[in-house]
C-alpha cells in the first residue's frame, strides 16, 4: 500500500533562507507524487507533481522537488523563503482506484517564516 | 473555469442533527472526490465518483454518511445523526478523465457541539 511520511511537523526558517521540506514515500509501483500547499481556512493548491518524467520538477512560487527513487524521497525546496510562503504543506502519493487517482497524504509540515 | 466551489464554508450543528454539504466541481470534470481533514492531519479519502457512479467508498465512511452525484455534475455529502467526532474540514476535489491532477475546493468546516 502507498504511504507518505513527512519528516518534521513544523519547520521554521528566516526570510531569504533555503526552505527544505522532507517527504519519503512507500509504493509498490512507480508512484505519482504531489506537493500541495494549504493556507489557513482554505483548500489545497497544487504546487507541483511528479509523473515519471523529469526527476527534477519545478512548480509554482519558485518551489521545486527532486524525485530520488534510491532514497524513496521527494523533498520540496525553495532557494529563498518569502513571508508569503508561510502555510501548511502536504506531500501526497496517488493510488489508482478503478482508473482514478486516490491521493494518500502525509500529515503535513507547517512552515513558519521569521522576518 | 471558476474552480471547485463548496457550500457552506462553515457549519455549526448540534450532536444528533443531520447536515448536508454541496460541491460544484470544475465544469466538464467527470471525476469528483471527497476527503476529510481533521485538525493537524492530512486529508483522508472518503469517496469517489466517476460521472454519477460512486465507485469507491472508504471504510471511514460509516452508514451515517451518504454521498450522491445525481446528474454527474454537483455532489452532496450528507451526515446523519452527527457526532462530535465528525467535526472536521470536508474537502471536495475534481479532475478530468485520466488526469492525475485533482483540484480542490475551499472546504466546508463542520463543528459538532
Amino acid at each position: 500500500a502507498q504511504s507518505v511520511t513527512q519528516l518534521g511537523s513544523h519547520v521554521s526558517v528566516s526570510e531569504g533562507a533555503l526552505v527544505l521540506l522532507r517527504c519519503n514515500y512507500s509504493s509498490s509501483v512507480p508512484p505519482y507524487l504531489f506537493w500541495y500547499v494549504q493556507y489557513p481556512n482554505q483548500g489545497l493548491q497544487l504546487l507541483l507533481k511528479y509523473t515519471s518524467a523529469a526527476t527534477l520538477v519545478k512548480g509554482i512560487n519558485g518551489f521545486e522537488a527532486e524525485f530520488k527513487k534510491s532514497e524513496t524521497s521527494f523533498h520540496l525546496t525553495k532557494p529563498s523563503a518569502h513571508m508569503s510562503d508561510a502555510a501548511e504543506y502536504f506531500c501526497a502519493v496517488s493510488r489508482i482506484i478503478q482508473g482514478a487517482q486516490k491521493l494518500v497524504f502525509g500529515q503535513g509540515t507547517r512552515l513558519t517564516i521569521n522576518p | 473555469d471558476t474552480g471547485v466551489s463548496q457550500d457552506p464554508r462553515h457549519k455549526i450543528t448540534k450532536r444528533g442533527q443531520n447536515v448536508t454539504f454541496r460541491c460544484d466541481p470544475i465544469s466538464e470534470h467527470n471525476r469528483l472526490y471527497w476527503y476529510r481533514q481533521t485538525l493537524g492531519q492530512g486529508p483522508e479519502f472518503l469517496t469517489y465518483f466517476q460521472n454519477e457512479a460512486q465507485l469507491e467508498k472508504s471504510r471511514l465512511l460509516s452508514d451515517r454518511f451518504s454521498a450522491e452525484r445525481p446528474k454527474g455534475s454537483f455532489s452532496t455529502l450528507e451526515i446523519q445523526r452527527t457526532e462530535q467526532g465528525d467535526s472536521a474540514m470536508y474537502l471536495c476535489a475534481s479532475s478530468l478523465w485520466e488526469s492525475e491532477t485533482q483540484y480542490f475546493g475551499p472546504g466546508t468546516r463542520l463543528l459538532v457541539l
Side-chain angles (χ1 to χ4, degrees), chain A residues 78-97:
Chain A
K78 181 174 181 177
S80 178
H82 190 271
M83 295 298 291
S84 61
D85 295 327
E88 187 95 20
Y89 291 79
F90 293 95
C91 182
V93 63
S94 67
R95 183 173 76 84
I96 294 176
I97 51 164

Side-chain angles (χ1 to χ4, degrees), chain B residues 48-86:
Chain B
Y48 150 66
F49 289 87
Q50 182 165 297
N51 299 314
E52 65 276 8
Q54 187 175 17
L55 296 185
E56 179 161 330
K57 294 170 59 174
S58 164
R59 56 182 173 80
L60 293 175
L61 218 62
S62 74
D63 291 344
R64 297 184 297 105
F65 287 71
S66 62
E68 295 182 343
R69 195 183 183 197
K71 297 182 179 179
S73 56
F74 72 92
S75 175
T76 58
L77 178 67
E78 181 183 15
I79 309 174
Q80 295 182 327
R81 305 181 302 282
T82 52
E83 302 173 356
Q84 289 184 325
D86 297 330

Side-chain angles (χ1 to χ4, degrees), chain A residues 60-87:
Chain A
I60 63 171
N61 301 338
F63 285 94
E64 63 182 36
E66 186 172 8
F67 173 72
K68 292 187 176 181
K69 184 178 179 180
S70 61
E71 299 177 7
T72 61
S73 69
F74 190 57
H75 302 330
L76 182 70
T77 60
K78 181 174 181 177
S80 178
H82 190 271
M83 295 298 291
S84 61
D85 295 327

Side-chain angles (χ1 to χ4, degrees), chain A residues 12-38:
Chain A
S12 181
V13 302
S14 298
E15 190 175 17
L18 171 71
V19 175
L20 171 61
L21 304 182
R22 300 178 187 273
C23 172
N24 287 89
Y25 70 90
S26 172
S27 177
S28 56
V29 297
Y32 286 177
L33 293 160
F34 306 80
W35 276 100
Y36 281 86
V37 61
Q38 186 176 35

Side-chain angles (χ1 to χ4, degrees), chain B residues 5-20:
Chain B
S5 61
Q6 293 186 246
D7 184 69
R9 293 291 309 277
H10 303 273
K11 179 70 177 179
I12 300 175
T13 191
K14 294 182 179 179
R15 188 177 56 185
Q17 297 294 305
N18 299 342
V19 294
T20 300

Side-chain angles (χ1 to χ4, degrees), chain A residues 32 34 36 38 41-46 49 51 90 95 97-108, chain B residues 9-10 31 33 35 37 40-43 45 48 50 55-56 89 91 99-102 104-107 109:
Chain A
Y32 286 177
F34 306 80
Y36 281 86
Q38 186 176 35
N41 298 314
Q42 295 187 25
L44 280 73
Q45 180 182 7
L46 180 67
K49 62 184 178 184
T51 58
F90 293 95
R95 183 173 76 84
I97 51 164
Q98 302 199 44
Q101 304 280 345
K102 166 187 167 182
L103 292 173
V104 177
F105 287 88
Q107 292 193 318
Chain B
R9 293 291 309 277
H10 303 273
R31 291 181 171 162
Y33 306 79
Y35 292 82
Q37 183 180 22
Q41 302 295 316
F45 171 81
Y48 150 66
Q50 182 165 297
L55 296 185
E56 179 161 330
M89 173 82 90
L91 294 163
S99 170
E100 69 281 345
T101 301
Q102 295 180 29
F104 282 81
R109 184 171 294 283

